[in-house]
Amino acid sequence: MKGGVMSAQPVGNGPVDHPRVPKTIGGISNALRGSRRAQFFAELLEAQQGPELDGVLTAWWGRAMLDTDPDRDRVRAAAEAGTLPTTSMDEVLRRRRERGIR
């Protein structure tokens, strides 16, 4: 956060250290709405400090990132219409090999 102003940038288009949703309790909470926010706090309040709390934060951060994806509605509509482009695992592995990624 620079100068008290938070910017919202897509993860793929911004620096890695400035995700669209900050991986903090406040960042996650601000990205969630209604009953999802209440569910997040319920799980958060029950989690023990350490791996369990880290797991709750990681899981809900992922949900918050999906909820705030600017392409969410377009992708969902394409998936429901059966027009969402797909790639086979064989194709993914072939592309990775071409790029020298194992």
Side-chain angles (χ1 to χ4, degrees), residues 75-84:
V75 170
R76 182 182 185 130
E80 289 174 350
T83 59
L84 186 66

Side-chain angles (χ1 to χ4, degrees), residues 28-73:
I28 295 166
S29 172
N30 288 336
L32 298 170
R33 302 288 175 249
S35 64
R36 286 175 65 79
R37 181 182 290 162
Q39 186 180 0
F40 166 62
F41 277 114
E43 289 183 28
L44 190 66
L45 292 171
E46 293 297 317
Q48 291 188 15
Q49 184 177 7
E52 185 179 1
L53 179 59
D54 292 345
V56 169
L57 289 172
T58 298
W60 279 100
W61 179 76
R63 293 174 188 141
M65 288 294 291
L66 291 172
D67 283 357
T68 59
D69 185 334
D71 291 327
R72 179 178 184 222
D73 292 337

